[in-house]
Amino acid sequence: MKDIIVQKFGGTSVADTDKIKNVAKAVIREKNLGHNVVVVVSAMGHTTDILMKLAGEITSKPSSRELDMLLSTGEGVSIALLAMALQEQGCDAVSMNAMQVGIITEKVHTKARILDIKTDKITKHLEEGKVVVIAGFQGITDDFEITTLGRGGSDTSAVALAGVLKAKRCDIYTDVEGVYTTDPRIVPCASKLAEISYDEMMELASGGANVLHPRAVETAMTHNTPVRVRSTFKLDDIGTLILGVDKMEIHKPVTGVALDRERIRIVVCDVQDNPGTAAILFDGLAKENISVDMIIQSYARKDLNTNDIAFTMEKADLDKAMQVLRNVKLELGYSRVFVDEKIAKISIVGAGMVGRPGIAAKMFRTLANLGINIKMIATSDIKISCLVDIEKADEAVSVLHSVFGLDSDEIADVKGDLPNV
Amino acid sequence: MKDIIVQKFGGTSVADTDKIKNVAKAVIREKNLGHNVVVVVSAMGHTTDILMKLAGEITSKPSSRELDMLLSTGEGVSIALLAMALQEQGCDAVSMNAMQVGIITEKVHTKARILDIKTDKITKHLEEGKVVVIAGFQGITDDFEITTLGRGGSDTSAVALAGVLKAKRCDIYTDVEGVYTTDPRIVPCASKLAEISYDEMMELASGGANVLHPRAVETAMTHNTPVRVRSTFKLDDIGTLILGVDKMEIHKPVTGVALDRERIRIVVCDVQDNPGTAAILFDGLAKENISVDMIIQSYARKDLNTNDIAFTMEKADLDKAMQVLRNVKLELGYSRVFVDEKIAKISIVGAGMVGRPGIAAKMFRTLANLGINIKMIATSDIKISCLVDIEKADEAVSVLHSVFGLDSDEIADVKGDLPNV
């Protein structure tokens, strides 16, 4: 059989019937290159908002099962319309929803993970020369309950399908032109990356990038499927290829600079230094589904045998976190809690920094030269993150971008709502 | 287990979220009477029009498979919202689409017939005390293709579900208050029937009534399920009960008067009277899916051994019928074809007219007294139909309604777009 290309088009790309016709053209273009094509689409434009508004008129706390039933109708519309548009342009096509394909997920509503995807029907249609148009974002459990995959769901559907179908490549069409070295709205001379490794993409994405959801990147990495992020509106631009580090041609020490403004820092002072106190705190947070990012424990008063524990987390979870802290006050015996909302996390990411300690030192020195105080530091094999004052964040990103040689000669042409890496 | 009541609410009854909340009240009211309740709903208000408009923007000839995929999304929205509204009002509820229930149809898109309905999952939910909200109008084939049931589809879904679930009754909630002796817009003193037999309802319905589709009536008759047609907006009004003639309490010779303006008469003159000529003509029409209603064959010229064949059919099929007539001209050897578009069919219907020849005579005499010429007559056990000049039709219906003792003392309160019987 011919090589399979999976193409994914998001809600903006199928927002109206004219855009759907354009998507059909992009699909046919790929098919004419000699490929079998599987297309994954999201719901049209603002469909989800409209459906959520209807639900909101009925109840302030819709059951997650019924919410999934409601939201999954959105892709039913877009797959049928795209199949019609392909047929109208003379291309044999068939639409399939998650039930018809057999995209099996856990029985967790509104944020299910894919467990298995059946390929027999898709393969049969491809062998008959058809383009197969598949509903993203949705799945079914093994007892036919409808689920949705949550944020980044359609991307994950596409990449997972590409994986099980052993596709040559998964192309994520979006309204940005690729992955940039940093957010071009902050640093206008940010450059578009030709390629980036899964690991780097994960670190950039979880550091605040919105081009491709970390779940989708993780899924691509599992199947070792190359993913190309490219623009729906500039079909000649090949965008950015995300692939295994072993397949990369270019190895720079630093690939990109990420900025995350959505976090806060909490410092819990004078925690009794008994075995298990940290576990009590972070277990409590985990039970409330609060995702903690950077953690630092340091001696506060050696004489009193107490520690300070500082950590960062998402702003939105503050109220829940404070409740957890009240609940564990007796066990932890802390004196005070400080909340610091005016922080930003800046990360430099690069698969090439492994074993190059000079990179970290260069980052710290650059920030020091700018008079920026580093409040916390965290490192991984391919990332160094510093917590700084939010007022200084943009300047810091811009200078680091330049210092690590990422500036482009051209000014990035940025449009659309989606922030870039 | 408690008795099951199936309730069906059409698109007008679930047109917006306020109306959906009212439907939830009607459901809970039925449940509080001590019944297990299964609810069948159509898509919200103008959803189908909106979806058809989108399809129309893409192609003038959408494939019927993709059309079914597109249209079936409509009920997904309404079932989820109604289940949410029930839950919000404290009533445990679960929505199910055709795939989840297992409403199996033939593999014919846009007008499939139901072959089988699984009851195990519905029964399980009912036993757990839940209201089950089911998508009308849609089905699936045994290989998971999505189908729709065509006109009157949701009514048919509801009645078929009531049948397989051995429900005590199927309540069809609509925007009219029941079945009337004739169209109240023509005869303001038309009276609402307390009950009517399946047969009578079929004859009235196929004679132009729009309250309940003949397919739904036929399905009810097959399962011998009582069906109540009642108003969504007057829950205290019990509407009209449709049931087996053996269960009826009232037996009037004439139950109602039906008027059908949508037919034309075609007269094929001087057809050679050889064996099989009529078969050639009507086979040809059947192959084009043209439904023929009344048929009369009469000697035209005994000396030349020719007949005139006259029949009535729907106006919309005229072009196709003329093509068929051209195709069979050589075999039939007819001289001319007359098309009469200015006709109407008036029928009096009543299970009690069996074996009462006086009824027919009374109808003919009444029309004669009005100076109305009868162009064709057709009779069945429970119906006598006369073809008359369309100009005279309203007057004829009004007088027949009075002559057969159907006039009410009250003026019918008619609103909404749906014509009545």
Side-chain angles (χ1 to χ4, degrees):
Chain A
M1 201 161 76
K2 295 173 188 173
D3 280 336
I4 297 172
I5 300 286
V6 175
Q7 299 183 302
K8 182 260 171 177
F9 296 90
T12 323
S13 304
V14 293
D16 58 44
T17 47
D18 281 337
K19 287 189 174 153
I20 289 173
K21 289 177 197 173
N22 278 332
V23 165
K25 289 201 182 84
V27 173
I28 290 168
R29 179 189 163 112
E30 194 66 55
K31 191 164 164 64
N32 288 345
L33 291 175
H35 294 125
N36 275 323
V37 183
V38 171
V39 192
V40 175
V41 283
S42 308
M44 292 171 75
H46 299 289
T47 306
T48 306
D49 296 339
I50 294 166
L51 293 173
M52 287 302 289
K53 182 168 171 290
L54 286 173
E57 286 171 14
I58 284 180
T59 172
S60 56
K61 39 180 195 325
S63 87
S64 55
R65 181 193 183 278
E66 299 304 332
L67 212 48
D68 279 353
M69 174 70 85
L70 182 70
L71 295 182
S72 68
T73 62
E75 294 84 31
V77 173
S78 52
I79 57 174
L81 292 176
L82 178 55
M84 288 179 191
L86 286 163
Q87 290 164 356
E88 176 71 13
Q89 292 179 35
C91 173
D92 201 2
V94 62
S95 70
M96 299 182 83
N97 63 23
M99 178 268 293
Q100 291 172 317
V101 172
I103 299 179
I104 314 296
T105 73
E106 328 161 292
K107 192 166 180 169
V108 176
H109 288 290
T110 74
K111 51 185 174 193
R113 295 184 75 95
I114 295 173
L115 299 175
D116 187 26
I117 300 180
K118 315 283 184 208
T119 56
D120 48 339
K121 284 189 189 167
I122 301 173
T123 308
K124 185 165 170 290
H125 286 310
L126 291 176
E127 279 168 356
E128 289 167 5
K130 291 176 195 154
V131 166
V132 184
V133 183
I134 297 176
F137 184 64
Q138 56 180 245
I140 51 160
T141 66
D142 50 16
D143 59 347
F144 280 15
E145 290 288 293
I146 293 172
T147 53
T148 61
L149 309 183
R151 277 198 64 195
S154 290
D155 289 344
T156 307
S157 304
V159 174
L161 275 160
V164 295
L165 290 167
K166 304 192 191 340
K168 184 180 171 190
R169 204 176 66 235
C170 180
D171 283 358
I172 306 284
Y173 286 83
T174 177
D175 53 1
V176 295
E177 288 170 33
V179 181
Y180 282 77
T181 48
T182 194
D183 186 340
R185 293 171 308 176
I186 298 172
V187 183
C189 61
S191 31
K192 195 175 69 193
L193 294 160
E195 51 181 38
I196 184 171
S197 72
Y198 300 125
D199 289 320
E200 289 170 322
M201 189 67 192
M202 289 276 280
E203 295 287 12
L204 283 172
S206 56
N210 277 344
V211 175
L212 195 59
H213 197 274
R215 278 173 64 188
V217 183
E218 195 188 327
T219 307
M221 187 158 53
T222 307
H223 294 285
N224 205 15
T225 307
V227 175
R228 193 180 284 288
V229 173
R230 59 198 302 182
S231 166
T232 315
F233 310 107
K234 286 196 177 176
L235 295 181
D236 290 324
D237 191 313
I238 56 161
T240 300
L241 191 62
I242 309 165
L243 71 179
V245 68
D246 52 312
K247 294 185 188 163
M248 287 181 70
E249 292 176 1
I250 311 148
H251 290 273
K252 286 198 284 185
V254 175
T255 305
V257 182
L259 172 62
D260 182 355
R261 291 191 183 89
E262 297 308 313
R263 303 206 169 249
I264 53 173
R265 181 174 69 136
I266 293 186
V267 186
V268 188
C269 302
D270 301 310
V271 176
Q272 286 301 316
D273 186 21
N274 301 327
T277 43
I280 290 167
L281 172 59
F282 293 107
D283 274 356
L285 294 169
K287 271 180 198 145
E288 289 300 313
N289 222 4
I290 299 169
S291 181
V292 170
D293 186 21
M294 303 162 89
I295 300 173
I296 287 178
Q297 177 173 312
S298 57
Y299 276 117
R301 301 266 311 261
K302 272 201 176 170
D303 52 338
L304 294 177
N305 203 26
T306 61
N307 291 325
D308 286 354
I309 299 179
F311 57 91
T312 62
M313 44 168 269
E314 282 186 25
K315 267 189 189 133
D317 289 331
L318 178 57
D319 288 349
K320 281 199 291 180
M322 292 312 284
Q323 185 58 49
V324 170
L325 281 164
R326 278 190 290 275
N327 294 345
V328 299
K329 171 124 179 67
L330 266 178
E331 292 173 278
L332 263 63
Y334 59 79
S335 61
R336 287 159 307 170
V337 173
F338 288 120
V339 178
D340 189 355
E341 299 195 51
K342 300 202 177 297
I343 53 147
K345 186 173 80 167
I346 295 171
S347 308
I348 59 171
V349 173
M353 68 171 63
V354 180
R356 293 204 210 184
I359 305 294
K362 190 169 177 181
M363 180 178 191
F364 305 151
R365 200 182 320 117
T366 304
L367 294 174
N369 288 345
L370 291 168
I372 295 173
N373 185 35
I374 301 173
K375 298 184 174 197
M376 282 172 97
I377 297 169
T379 60
S380 77
D381 274 2
I382 65 162
K383 181 165 80 164
I384 304 164
S385 301
C386 295
L387 211 62
V388 303
D389 188 335
I390 200 164
E391 306 287 327
K392 303 270 193 172
D394 285 8
E395 186 191 0
V397 169
S398 187
V399 174
L400 286 168
H401 193 266
S402 171
V403 163
F404 285 105
L406 301 174
D407 285 1
S408 161
D409 294 339
E410 291 166 31
I411 299 300
D413 175 21
V414 189
K415 46 184 176 304
D417 286 338
L418 268 185
N420 223 297
V421 171
Chain B
M1 200 161 79
K2 294 174 187 172
D3 280 337
I4 297 172
I5 299 286
V6 175
Q7 301 182 302
K8 181 261 170 177
F9 295 90
T12 323
S13 303
V14 293
D16 58 44
T17 47
D18 281 336
K19 287 189 173 153
I20 288 173
K21 289 177 198 174
N22 279 330
V23 165
K25 288 201 182 84
V27 173
I28 291 169
R29 180 189 161 111
E30 194 65 53
K31 191 164 164 63
N32 287 344
L33 291 174
H35 295 126
N36 274 323
V37 184
V38 171
V39 193
V40 175
V41 286
S42 308
M44 292 171 75
H46 299 289
T47 306
T48 306
D49 296 339
I50 295 167
L51 293 173
M52 287 301 290
K53 182 168 172 288
L54 286 174
E57 286 172 14
I58 283 179
T59 173
S60 55
K61 38 180 197 323
S63 87
S64 55
R65 181 194 183 279
E66 298 305 332
L67 212 47
D68 278 353
M69 174 70 85
L70 183 69
L71 295 183
S72 69
T73 61
E75 293 85 30
V77 173
S78 51
I79 57 173
L81 292 177
L82 179 55
M84 288 178 192
L86 285 164
Q87 291 164 355
E88 177 71 14
Q89 293 180 34
C91 173
D92 201 3
V94 61
S95 70
M96 300 181 80
N97 63 22
M99 177 270 291
Q100 291 173 315
V101 173
I103 300 178
I104 314 296
T105 72
E106 327 162 294
K107 191 165 179 170
V108 176
H109 288 290
T110 75
K111 50 184 177 197
R113 296 183 74 95
I114 296 173
L115 299 176
D116 187 25
I117 300 180
K118 314 284 183 207
T119 57
D120 49 336
K121 284 188 189 168
I122 300 173
T123 308
K124 185 164 169 289
H125 286 309
L126 291 177
E127 279 167 356
E128 290 167 4
K130 290 177 195 155
V131 166
V132 185
V133 183
I134 297 176
F137 184 65
Q138 57 180 245
I140 53 160
T141 66
D142 51 15
D143 60 347
F144 282 14
E145 291 288 293
I146 293 172
T147 54
T148 61
L149 309 184
R151 276 197 64 195
S154 290
D155 288 344
T156 307
S157 305
V159 174
L161 275 160
V164 296
L165 290 168
K166 305 195 192 331
K168 183 180 171 190
R169 206 174 66 236
C170 180
D171 284 358
I172 305 286
Y173 286 83
T174 176
D175 52 0
V176 295
E177 289 170 30
V179 181
Y180 282 78
T181 47
T182 193
D183 187 339
R185 292 171 309 178
I186 297 172
V187 182
C189 59
S191 30
K192 195 177 68 192
L193 293 161
E195 52 182 39
I196 183 170
S197 72
Y198 299 126
D199 289 320
E200 290 171 322
M201 190 67 193
M202 289 277 281
E203 294 288 12
L204 284 172
S206 56
N210 276 344
V211 175
L212 195 59
H213 197 273
R215 278 172 66 186
V217 183
E218 196 188 327
T219 306
M221 188 157 53
T222 306
H223 293 286
N224 203 16
T225 307
V227 176
R228 195 180 281 289
V229 174
R230 59 197 304 181
S231 165
T232 314
F233 309 108
K234 286 196 179 177
L235 294 181
D236 290 322
D237 192 310
I238 56 163
T240 300
L241 190 63
I242 310 165
L243 70 181
V245 69
D246 52 312
K247 293 185 188 162
M248 286 181 70
E249 293 175 359
I250 311 149
H251 290 275
K252 287 198 283 187
V254 174
T255 304
V257 182
L259 171 62
D260 183 355
R261 292 192 181 89
E262 297 307 314
R263 302 201 171 253
I264 53 174
R265 182 174 68 135
I266 294 187
V267 185
V268 189
C269 303
D270 302 310
V271 176
Q272 286 300 315
D273 186 20
N274 300 326
T277 42
I280 290 167
L281 173 58
F282 293 107
D283 274 356
L285 294 169
K287 270 182 198 144
E288 290 300 314
N289 223 3
I290 298 169
S291 180
V292 171
D293 185 20
M294 304 162 88
I295 300 173
I296 287 178
Q297 177 171 312
S298 56
Y299 275 118
R301 300 268 311 262
K302 275 204 174 167
D303 53 337
L304 294 178
N305 203 26
T306 62
N307 291 324
D308 286 354
I309 298 178
F311 57 91
T312 61
M313 45 169 268
E314 282 187 26
K315 266 187 190 138
D317 289 330
L318 177 59
D319 288 350
K320 280 199 293 180
M322 295 309 286
Q323 185 57 50
V324 171
L325 281 164
R326 280 191 288 276
N327 293 345
V328 297
K329 171 122 177 67
L330 266 180
E331 292 172 278
L332 265 61
Y334 59 80
S335 62
R336 286 160 308 170
V337 172
F338 287 120
V339 178
D340 188 355
E341 299 195 51
K342 297 202 180 295
I343 53 146
K345 185 172 78 164
I346 295 172
S347 308
I348 58 170
V349 173
M353 69 170 63
V354 179
R356 296 203 208 184
I359 304 295
K362 192 169 174 179
M363 181 179 190
F364 303 154
R365 200 181 321 118
T366 304
L367 294 174
N369 289 344
L370 292 167
I372 295 173
N373 186 35
I374 300 173
K375 300 187 172 191
M376 280 172 98
I377 297 170
T379 60
S380 77
D381 274 0
I382 64 161
K383 182 164 80 164
I384 304 164
S385 301
C386 295
L387 212 62
V388 302
D389 188 334
I390 201 163
E391 305 288 328
K392 303 272 192 173
D394 285 8
E395 186 190 1
V397 168
S398 188
V399 174
L400 286 169
H401 193 266
S402 174
V403 162
F404 284 105
L406 300 174
D407 285 1
S408 161
D409 295 339
E410 291 167 30
I411 300 301
D413 175 22
V414 190
K415 45 185 179 303
D417 286 338
L418 269 185
N420 222 299
V421 172

